[in-house]
Amino acid sequence: MTTPEELRDDIERTRDQLGETVEALAAKADVKARAQQKAAEVKAGAQQRGADAASQVAARAKSLTNRLPALLNKRSGGLIAAGVAVLAVTWLMARRARRAA
């Protein structure tokens, strides 16, 4: 037959085991939360880099558009130069969009 002292010892061991189990579960939940936080930070950084790249491409395109009349007037074959410039800007924009995705 089990004595009251043995029951108390068994209850104490069970409490200790339960406490360890709760701590282990809390640690697992905390890791998940930290991983989600890190994923959100990485996503925000990627979105910011994409927005920065898009604004740089837009600024370059605007600069090229502003210089286009001068290119056409100064050089023979200016139309070809303008076409090449437009193709280059389009290629840069597509390349950066693929990198950002």
Side-chain angles (χ1 to χ4, degrees):
M1 196 159 202
T2 306
T3 66
E5 187 61 35
E6 289 174 337
L7 285 174
R8 284 187 201 100
D9 289 342
D10 188 35
I11 290 170
E12 187 61 33
R13 276 192 306 277
T14 303
R15 284 182 181 157
D16 289 341
Q17 290 172 350
L18 181 59
E20 290 172 7
T21 302
V22 169
E23 287 177 17
L25 290 172
K28 283 184 180 181
D30 189 33
V31 169
K32 182 178 178 182
R34 283 186 283 148
Q36 289 174 339
Q37 178 64 32
K38 183 65 176 177
E41 290 171 9
V42 169
K43 180 180 176 183
Q47 287 174 333
Q48 183 60 46
R49 285 189 300 275
D52 291 345
S55 66
Q56 287 177 356
V57 168
R60 287 181 185 171
K62 185 174 183 177
S63 171
L64 182 61
T65 303
N66 291 340
R67 292 187 347 219
L68 190 58
L71 287 173
L72 291 173
N73 290 332
K74 285 186 178 181
R75 298 186 178 123
S76 63
L79 188 57
I80 293 172
V84 169
V86 168
L87 285 173
V89 169
T90 303
W91 177 77
L92 281 173
M93 290 174 65
R95 183 175 171 208
R96 291 193 183 216
R98 274 187 255 130
R99 283 186 180 173

